[in-house]
Amino acid sequence: MERSKLKLTVIFLLTVLDLFLLGSVLMQCHQSRDYARTTQTQILVYLERNGIEVQQETIPWESGLSAQREDLADQILPDSEWPAQGLPDNCEVQPAREPATLLMDFVRGLSELGQTCETIHGIQEGYWYSGEEDRAVLTPMWEIETDQGTFLLDCAQGLLTRAT
């Protein structure tokens, strides 16, 4: 086979492979979006079955929290103490669970606290600072405003407490 025909054959095969891979990636993206929409719908039904009403746009499906050191001070929840000297160099930022899991944790936490609520009015994301000597931890939290008061949900461990 001539060299130029061999080159064209290889180029053609690589083009077909690229198109196949592009199609696979696009299909995975589409399936991923469908899965996310289905999950959101199912969690809203779950909340409704547990007697909790919430608007879909109230829930932070995509986290707005940043792990960039320069942005952290602006994302501390109002009731959390912030060190006067700033964050220690070895500050740990805990990862958050998925929103659907957090909403299930919220329902479970209400039950464990012996509380109920009928409506979630708002969810504010932020970090809760806790530090001891040279160790500091920033925990992602949801401050959930309901018709029965405000609750804090630890987004790393799924623990619910009543805000003071």
Side-chain angles (χ1 to χ4, degrees), residues 63-72 75 93 127 138:
S63 178
L65 294 177
S66 170
Q68 300 298 320
R69 191 170 185 81
E70 58 273 1
D71 299 333
L72 294 175
Q75 298 175 0
V93 179
Y127 284 110
L138 288 175

Side-chain angles (χ1 to χ4, degrees), residues 3-156:
R3 193 174 204 140
S4 62
K5 287 184 181 181
L6 183 61
K7 283 182 186 178
L8 287 174
T9 303
V10 169
I11 290 172
F12 174 75
L13 290 174
L14 289 174
T15 303
V16 169
L17 178 62
D18 285 347
L19 290 173
F20 172 76
L21 292 174
L22 176 64
S24 295
V25 168
L26 291 175
M27 190 167 59
Q28 285 178 348
C29 286
H30 179 71
Q31 288 174 339
S32 179
R33 272 187 260 129
D34 284 347
Y35 176 72
R37 278 193 295 269
T38 300
T39 301
Q40 289 175 9
T41 302
Q42 288 175 342
I43 198 66
L44 291 172
V45 168
Y46 173 77
L47 290 171
E48 187 178 303
R49 286 184 181 160
N50 283 280
I52 301 172
E53 182 183 320
V54 63
Q55 298 297 315
Q56 184 165 354
E57 42 293 336
T58 303
I59 301 168
W61 297 109
E62 298 291 324
S63 178
L65 294 177
S66 170
Q68 300 298 320
R69 191 170 185 81
E70 58 273 1
D71 299 333
L72 294 175
D74 298 333
Q75 298 175 0
I76 298 296
L77 289 173
D79 294 338
S80 181
E81 297 287 327
W82 183 254
Q85 70 277 11
L87 284 178
D89 291 334
N90 60 346
C91 184
E92 175 189 346
V93 179
Q94 294 182 322
R97 295 173 174 211
E98 293 295 319
T101 304
L102 291 171
L103 290 165
M104 290 188 292
D105 290 338
F106 174 70
V107 172
R108 187 191 74 247
L110 283 175
S111 175
E112 289 172 357
L113 291 173
Q115 300 284 316
T116 61
C117 84
E118 294 179 4
T119 307
I120 295 175
H121 298 295
I123 299 175
Q124 178 185 351
E125 291 181 294
Y127 284 110
W128 189 266
Y129 174 82
S130 57
E132 300 169 4
E133 298 172 16
D134 62 342
R135 183 173 185 268
V137 177
L138 288 175
T139 304
M141 301 287 276
W142 277 3
E143 187 176 65
I144 305 171
E145 182 186 338
T146 72
D147 58 326
Q148 298 299 312
T150 303
F151 296 89
L152 291 175
L153 179 63
D154 180 329
C155 296

